[in-house]
Amino acid sequence: MSDKNDFLRMQNWYPVLAGHTFLTSFVKMRSDVIAALAAGETGEKGKGAAVRSIIEDLRQPLAAIPGNAFVCVDCCAPTDTERFALKRGAVYSPESAWKYLALSEKVRNAAAAGKAEYICLKPFRRMNRTREFRLFIYDGKLNAMSQYHLIRHFRRLEGVRNQYWTQAADFVDKIVWLLPVKTLVMDIYFTSSGKILIIDLNRWGEPTDPLLVRDWNRDWSSPAGMLLMEPPTQIHGDVNVSF
């Protein structure tokens, strides 16, 4: 593999890390399907041949998934769609799976840029936002770990921060021999049983969001540790406000 960062594409890392992530099926897209995706052809107003073909290709792997599925492409997920906002991206039919990929600006742009090659299908899982984290792995070691959803302070995380950090560091030590890229960003999820599952791998640096690390230009020789949203500030005493 000429570029080790190619490993960060899901279709490349999944066979290596399948035992540490969600069960996933991959459907390769023909060039005309990728073009239809880039054009945002949802298939609602008379399906073109490309859209009809990919819907049929999706039918069998979707039928093998019990209940709803989560569908994305190999380089990004349709997190910018109404479907994701309302139902966290859960879909049931191949028609709706394709529709919400085509409605995503992120996915369309990825297809137009030649970055999308496969459609990826996983059993839908309603994940607890307090158990999603972004790991910053520097030279093969866990350097920083950020709360993923920066919507607010989660008080329950204070009580498990040391436990989660230790588990994540041990997890990285366990799997690092499988990674041809030793400096990378990894998104993970703690299941209710305490198992760590990989959600995605990302390149180090921009455009990957550093979240609570804030700045990619920090001194990475010193670990940043576990980073959580701070509790809201409470102001005590007499407060005078003038306008």
Side-chain angles (χ1 to χ4, degrees):
M1 191 178 295
S2 57
D3 181 359
K4 286 186 176 181
N5 277 314
D6 283 346
F7 179 77
L8 303 181
R9 302 186 69 177
M10 185 180 290
Q11 67 269 32
N12 294 331
W13 65 256
Y14 181 82
V16 179
L17 297 167
H20 306 285
T21 188
F22 301 91
L23 183 66
T24 307
S25 297
F26 296 84
V27 176
K28 189 173 176 64
M29 294 184 285
R30 299 184 327 209
S31 58
D32 58 337
V33 172
I34 294 173
L37 185 58
E41 296 180 19
T42 63
E44 290 185 311
K45 296 181 179 179
K47 302 180 182 66
V51 175
R52 287 198 303 270
S53 72
I54 192 61
I55 285 175
E56 287 308 308
D57 289 345
L58 292 172
R59 198 172 301 282
Q60 180 56 38
L62 270 175
I65 296 175
N68 289 335
F70 181 81
V71 180
C72 60
V73 292
D74 47 322
C75 60
C76 64
T79 55
D80 55 342
T81 60
E82 183 182 25
R83 185 73 169 195
F84 190 86
L86 296 178
K87 296 188 176 182
R88 302 298 297 276
V91 296
Y92 185 74
S93 69
E95 289 83 5
S96 62
W98 173 261
K99 174 183 175 180
Y100 289 105
L101 289 177
L103 287 175
S104 168
E105 183 178 4
K106 283 172 55 179
V107 173
R108 293 197 305 271
N109 289 343
K115 296 179 180 179
E117 186 178 357
Y118 290 84
I119 294 176
C120 311
L121 306 98
K122 311 175 186 181
F124 176 76
R125 185 171 193 154
R126 189 171 294 280
M127 296 193 288
N128 185 319
R129 293 184 176 184
T130 66
R131 300 205 295 262
E132 288 186 64
F133 294 90
R134 174 157 285 181
L135 307 185
F136 298 81
I137 302 169
Y138 185 75
D139 198 21
K141 291 290 184 182
L142 181 60
N143 188 287
M145 179 174 176
S146 172
Q147 177 180 328
Y148 189 85
H149 294 283
L150 308 184
I151 50 178
R152 64 180 177 87
H153 170 72
F154 294 110
R155 184 182 299 177
R156 70 170 299 274
L157 290 178
E158 294 293 345
V160 295
R161 67 186 306 162
N162 292 335
Q163 173 191 335
Y164 275 6
W165 171 264
T166 299
Q167 282 184 255
D170 290 345
F171 179 74
V172 171
D173 289 344
K174 177 182 177 181
I175 67 166
V176 70
W177 70 277
L178 295 168
L179 306 175
V181 185
K182 303 303 182 187
T183 298
L184 71 156
V185 176
M186 177 183 291
D187 296 334
I188 65 164
Y189 182 71
F190 285 89
T191 68
S192 58
S193 64
K195 183 178 181 180
I196 292 176
L197 294 177
I198 298 169
I199 298 174
D200 199 10
L201 303 183
N202 301 280
R203 287 175 179 256
W204 187 267
E206 300 294 345
T208 302
D209 191 337
L211 299 180
L212 292 176
V213 171
R214 305 296 185 190
D215 190 352
W216 285 108
N217 295 319
R218 66 175 297 275
D219 179 8
W220 293 97
S221 64
S222 300
M226 178 73 144
L227 303 169
L228 303 175
M229 289 285 287
E230 295 293 332
T233 302
Q234 294 184 348
I235 302 176
H236 300 279
D238 295 331
V239 179
N240 294 319
V241 180
S242 59
F243 296 93

